[in-house]
Amino acid sequence: HSQERLGGQLSSSLTAVSELFESWDVDGNGLIDCVEFRRAMVELGLCVFSGWNSETVHAHVLLRSEL
């Protein structure tokens, strides 16, 4: 039963994350570009540095995925 419960929680989390990214993808191309990412961070109340660009965001995501 715990595996079923975990599976349900993971499924609902995946759905929530998917819906979040879809809402960030303003132009609907399936990618979150730098402008869309920055807009999403502002909406979430998170600080976005003016020097961020697609390369620094990509690098940050790669670094975080390695933790």
Side-chain angles (χ1 to χ4, degrees):
H1 297 288
S2 64
Q3 286 181 340
E4 291 173 7
R5 187 174 45 226
L6 177 60
Q9 290 172 340
L10 289 173
S11 177
S12 85
S13 293
L14 181 58
T15 299
V17 168
S18 178
E19 290 172 355
L20 179 64
F21 276 91
E22 284 179 19
S23 73
W24 290 1
D25 183 19
V26 176
D27 61 12
N29 70 351
L31 302 171
I32 307 299
D33 64 30
C34 211
V35 171
E36 292 166 330
F37 179 79
R38 187 172 302 196
R39 182 181 301 126
M41 295 301 102
V42 169
E43 287 175 5
L44 293 172
L46 300 174
C47 177
V48 179
F49 301 105
S50 62
W52 281 26
N53 58 36
S54 60
E55 289 80 23
T56 56
V57 169
H58 182 72
H60 181 73
V61 169
L62 289 176
L63 287 173
R64 296 293 299 161
S65 69
E66 295 173 0
L67 295 178

